[in-house]
């Protein structure tokens, strides 16, 4: 789902790379601009493919291990998320890169508009599916921690597979609504990608489709945050109980700490990557505006302010694209690399403070004994 802007020649939105009759200076600038621009989607695609492929490999090995039977539902969710993100990269990034390299307008590459519709559908599917799968993972972790007996007896792998299949089919059916006339996929600024139209109020169901996408995305974020907070609260309370109950809970406490840090990382990454785009979409829908007009700046007086809005919109889109690359690292790859080091540092700090507290307690007890004597 890589969506990166082409360089622009001026405030009127002209594309130096798309217009060859501009002189040698502009031509050289266009070539340099295109070379810099194409590096962004190419780097994002390679990074996303490598990260998600590694995640799928690790999930496959862990899933076959006998000691991972209790974690198979969670591993299924992680594997599905990695497959979804990988497919999103493979289906959308080559289109963006080919448009960059061809130095041609989208209309010349796709005169029929079918490629734009496919790109918009892919954006919708591979945008909502990771959000819903993340919510399913958050619910799964909450049930595993807060209701372990119910989870052990009811949460089978076939249930997880059915839920994941239902997510994919439901999101695909939703993304196909523009085919039935409910919504429309349009070319977005700077002319290298297509997405849901937010300003076409005259088309039947256009606002409904765009607002439903934004609301569903925000609801999935809310579900993920609420479930993760509930899981964190249960982990903290259980750590306190086990700390007072026995001394043989160090390993459980370490695992709980890793899970707690990972859940916090998941919430931060999801919120930072998706909230700006979804909130901006709702703002455009309620104000009946669209960033399709970024491709045709109305006047010199308004170009500066409009250009800032368009750049902010592109920043929000880039953050949403970045989520596909960060997903495998946050959920799996960094768990044993980063979290263990963080926990070791936290345990060292906790151990130092505990030793200091013990020394203070011993000194205080000795003073009390001397006073009593």
């Amino acid at each position: 789902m890589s969506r990166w802007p082409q360089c622009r020649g001026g405030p009127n939105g002209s594309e130096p790379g798309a217009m060859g009759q501009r002189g040698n200076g502009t031509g050289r600038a266009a070539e340099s601009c295109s070379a810099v621009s194409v590096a962004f989607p190419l780097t994002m695609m390679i990074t996303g493919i490598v990260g998600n492929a590694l995640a799928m490999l690790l999930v496959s090995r862990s899933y076959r291990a006998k000691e991972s039977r209790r974690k198979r539902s969670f591993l299924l969710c992680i594997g599905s998320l990695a497959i979804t993100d990988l497919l999103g990269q493979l289906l959308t990034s080559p289109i963006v890169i080919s448009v960059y390299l061809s130095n041609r307008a989208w209309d010349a590459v796709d005169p029929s508009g079918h490629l734009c519709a496919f790109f918009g559908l892919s954006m919708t599917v591979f945008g909502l599916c990771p959000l819903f799968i993340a919510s399913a993972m958050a619910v799964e972790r909450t049930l595993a921690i807060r209701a372990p007996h119910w989870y052990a007896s009811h949460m089978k792998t076939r249930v997880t597979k059915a839920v994941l299949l239902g997510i994919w089919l439901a999101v695909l059916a939703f993304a196909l609504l523009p085919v039935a006339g409910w919504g429309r996929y349009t070319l977005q600024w700077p002319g290298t990608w297509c997405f849901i139209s937010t300003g076409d109020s005259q088309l039947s169901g256009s606002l409904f489709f765009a607002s439903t996408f934004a609301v569903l995305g925000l609801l999935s974020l809310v579900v993920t945050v609420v479930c993760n907070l509930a899981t964190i609260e249960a982990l903290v309370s259980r750590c306190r109980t086990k700390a007072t109950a026995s001394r043989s809970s160090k390993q459980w406490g370490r695992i709980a700490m890793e899970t707690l840090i990972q859940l916090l990382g998941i919430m931060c990454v999801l919120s930072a990557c998706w909230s700006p785009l979804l909130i901006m979409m709702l703002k455009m829908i309620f104000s009946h505006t669209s960033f399709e007009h970024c491709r045709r700046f109305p006047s010199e007086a308004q170009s500066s302010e409009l250009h800032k809005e368009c750049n902010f919109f592109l920043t929000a889109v880039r953050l949403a694209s970045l989520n596909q690359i960060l997903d495998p690292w946050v959920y799996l790859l960094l768990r044993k690399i980063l979290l263990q080091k963080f926990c070791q540092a936290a345990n060292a700090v906790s151990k130092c403070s505990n030793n200091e507290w013990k020394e203070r307690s011993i000194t205080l007890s000795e003073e009390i004994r001397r006073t009593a004597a």
Side-chain angles (χ1 to χ4, degrees), residues 53-257:
L54 284 175
M56 291 169 58
L57 178 63
L58 292 176
V59 167
S60 177
R61 292 177 59 183
S62 299
Y63 189 82
R64 290 194 297 266
K66 293 182 179 179
E67 59 271 13
S68 299
R69 290 182 178 178
R70 295 182 179 180
K71 301 178 183 178
R72 283 189 172 179
S73 293
F74 187 67
L75 292 172
L76 276 174
C77 291
I78 294 181
S80 301
L81 183 65
I83 292 173
T84 304
D85 289 337
L86 182 62
L87 286 176
Q89 291 282 340
L90 293 176
L91 290 179
T92 58
S93 295
I95 299 175
V96 177
I97 294 172
S98 63
V99 173
Y100 276 125
L101 294 178
S102 65
N103 278 333
R104 299 170 63 191
W106 186 285
D107 294 338
V109 178
D110 179 33
S112 63
H114 296 318
L115 184 62
C116 184
F118 171 78
F119 196 97
L121 184 142
S122 300
M123 292 275 292
T124 304
V125 170
F126 298 109
L128 280 181
C129 274
L131 288 173
F132 285 175
I133 293 174
S135 299
M137 293 171 67
V139 173
E140 190 269 347
R141 286 293 86 191
T142 304
L143 293 175
I145 298 298
R146 299 187 71 94
H149 299 294
W150 185 92
Y151 179 88
S153 59
H154 293 84
M155 199 65 184
K156 308 298 182 183
T157 54
R158 64 174 179 272
V159 176
T160 306
K161 293 177 181 178
V163 171
L164 292 172
L165 181 61
I167 289 174
W168 282 324
L169 292 178
V171 172
L172 179 61
F174 172 77
L176 288 172
L177 284 179
V179 178
W182 288 83
R184 187 164 66 98
Y185 297 119
T186 57
L187 188 65
Q188 304 289 331
W189 186 67
T192 56
W193 63 291
C194 295
F195 194 46
I196 300 170
S197 175
T198 57
D200 195 354
S201 58
Q202 296 181 353
L203 184 63
S204 174
S206 180
L207 292 180
F208 168 79
F209 182 65
S211 58
T212 302
F213 176 88
V215 169
L216 287 176
L218 288 174
L219 282 177
S220 66
L221 284 179
V222 171
V223 170
T224 303
V225 171
V226 170
C227 289
N228 285 342
L229 288 177
T231 304
I232 290 172
E233 188 273 334
L235 286 173
V236 171
S237 61
R238 188 173 296 185
C239 278
R240 291 175 179 174
T241 304
K242 285 184 174 291
T244 56
S246 64
R247 297 181 180 178
S248 59
S249 58
K250 290 184 179 180
Q251 184 178 2
W252 194 94
R254 179 182 59 80
I255 296 173
M257 178 64 73

Side-chain angles (χ1 to χ4, degrees), residues 287-306:
S287 60
H288 300 285
T289 59
S290 174
F291 282 103
E292 298 165 29
H293 61 263
C294 291
R295 292 184 291 141
R296 49 185 189 279
F297 293 102
S299 65
E300 291 288 336
Q302 298 178 355
S303 63
S304 177
E305 181 180 355
L306 183 59

